[in-house]
Amino acid sequence: MTGQLILFIILALVAVASALGMLFSRSAVYSALFLIINFAVVAVFYLLLNAPFIAISQVSVYAGAIMVLFLFVIMLLGAVQLRSEHTLTWQQPLAIGLGLILMAEVVYLLATQAGLSANTSAVPEGFGSPQAVGLTLYTSYLLPFEVTSILLLVAIVGAIVLTHQVKKKE
Amino acid sequence: MLPVGYYLGLSAVLFTLGTVGVLIRRNSIIIFMSIELMLNSANLAFVAFARYYQALDGQMFVFFVMTVAAAEVAVGLALIVAIFRTRQSINVDDLNVLKG
């Protein structure tokens, strides 16, 4: 229990630090790399929570595919460094204040919600394994799974249509 | 397993950081990454509850959120590239007209 707690605290610190690094780094490339660290840490959390299949998907889909797409677009746009001055100077402190209020509200809710204690009962054999996930996915969640394929098709068509350049006719 | 509140607290902190990122940054790519961070923190809460209630449905939701995130990133980055081509900027302060 204490070993898990120490691991949790260290990983949580890494996750929050990498999220802060993403927020405040100047270059978009550094932000993307910090976000990859964050995704990898969250994948370790998934492993701690008995979700190995989701953890692997997290690494391959999020840290792999999505972040490579981000880095590709950042490079495509020439790693643009934006000027730092803001048109609305009061907006940044206001946003940070509102974020702190949001966080305080959530922490208050969590602190006052009793009953969400540790569930010490052992997980069933194979909980979160690819076999169990696949069985649930292709029985109870078959229709959402098929709808997902249409969503991905729409995304493919949309991305091609949006980036397609019509040649100007003289 | 640690109390599920720990994971929910971490998820809340990450979500708040994502919200602040959307509000304070002007680079549209970094705003996009902050949205990914918020989606990811929601996923963490889903998986924590899946472990707490010992039901796989939470993990299924994470699976679908990941798919939606992948589709959203593909379309969103295509939009950013298209906007960059017409306006030569990805600063959201520069994007103040709807006309292309």
Side-chain angles (χ1 to χ4, degrees):
Chain A
M1 189 66 174
T2 49
Q4 217 178 11
L5 185 63
I6 294 166
L7 185 62
F8 176 87
I9 290 171
I10 294 171
L11 286 174
L13 285 177
V14 174
V16 172
S18 60
L20 284 171
M22 187 209 80
L23 282 191
F24 295 110
S25 59
R26 288 253 154 250
S27 155
V29 181
Y30 290 159
S31 288
L33 295 178
F34 275 122
L35 195 57
I36 291 175
I37 295 176
N38 192 291
F39 285 163
V41 172
V42 172
V44 178
F45 279 128
Y46 291 166
L47 281 179
L48 282 178
L49 287 165
N50 296 82
F53 179 71
I54 299 294
I56 294 299
S57 318
Q58 167 90 3
V59 171
S60 61
V61 175
Y62 259 119
I66 291 182
M67 292 319 292
V68 166
L69 199 58
F70 265 109
L71 283 172
F72 179 75
V73 169
I74 292 168
M75 303 290 176
L76 186 71
L77 303 185
V80 276
Q81 298 226 359
L82 296 178
R83 59 177 201 280
S84 57
E85 79 260 27
H86 288 255
T87 43
L88 299 173
T89 46
W90 46 268
Q91 195 218 8
Q92 193 157 355
L94 181 69
I96 291 174
L98 287 175
L100 284 177
I101 291 173
L102 178 65
M103 200 185 296
E105 281 175 348
V106 177
V107 167
Y108 171 75
L109 270 178
L110 284 176
T112 52
Q113 288 279 326
L116 287 178
S117 55
N119 190 349
T120 47
S121 56
V123 283
E125 184 70 27
F127 179 78
S129 66
Q131 191 185 6
V133 171
L135 196 64
T136 318
L137 191 61
Y138 289 116
T139 52
S140 318
Y141 289 90
L142 186 60
L143 183 65
F145 181 73
E146 298 292 346
V147 173
T148 296
S149 63
I150 299 175
L151 177 77
L152 288 175
L153 180 69
V154 171
I156 295 168
V157 174
I160 292 173
V161 168
L162 282 171
T163 50
H164 178 68
Q165 281 179 310
V166 185
K167 290 208 175 72
K168 290 202 178 77
K169 294 188 184 92
E170 294 300 321
Chain B
M1 180 208 174
L2 292 169
V4 72
Y6 288 20
Y7 289 98
L8 293 183
L10 177 65
S11 163
V13 170
L14 290 180
F15 189 88
T16 315
L17 287 175
T19 318
V20 171
V22 170
L23 291 175
I24 65 172
R25 294 305 299 253
R26 302 269 69 88
N27 187 333
S28 50
I29 292 180
I30 293 181
I31 289 178
F32 226 129
M33 288 190 220
S34 304
I35 294 173
E36 293 302 314
L37 189 65
M38 288 155 80
L39 283 172
N40 216 44
S41 71
N43 280 351
L44 184 61
F46 267 128
V47 174
F49 275 123
R51 171 67 182 80
Y52 181 69
Y53 291 110
Q54 307 210 341
L56 269 180
D57 305 66
Q59 298 193 9
M60 291 297 112
F61 266 91
V62 174
F63 188 79
F64 292 123
V65 169
M66 272 184 199
T67 326
V68 171
E72 173 225 330
V73 165
V75 175
L77 288 177
L79 272 173
I80 290 177
V81 170
I83 289 170
F84 184 76
R85 275 193 192 138
T86 51
R87 313 263 323 165
Q88 299 304 316
S89 167
I90 52 169
N91 188 329
V92 285
D93 282 344
D94 293 341
L95 310 177
N96 48 12
V97 286
L98 283 173
K99 199 163 138 276

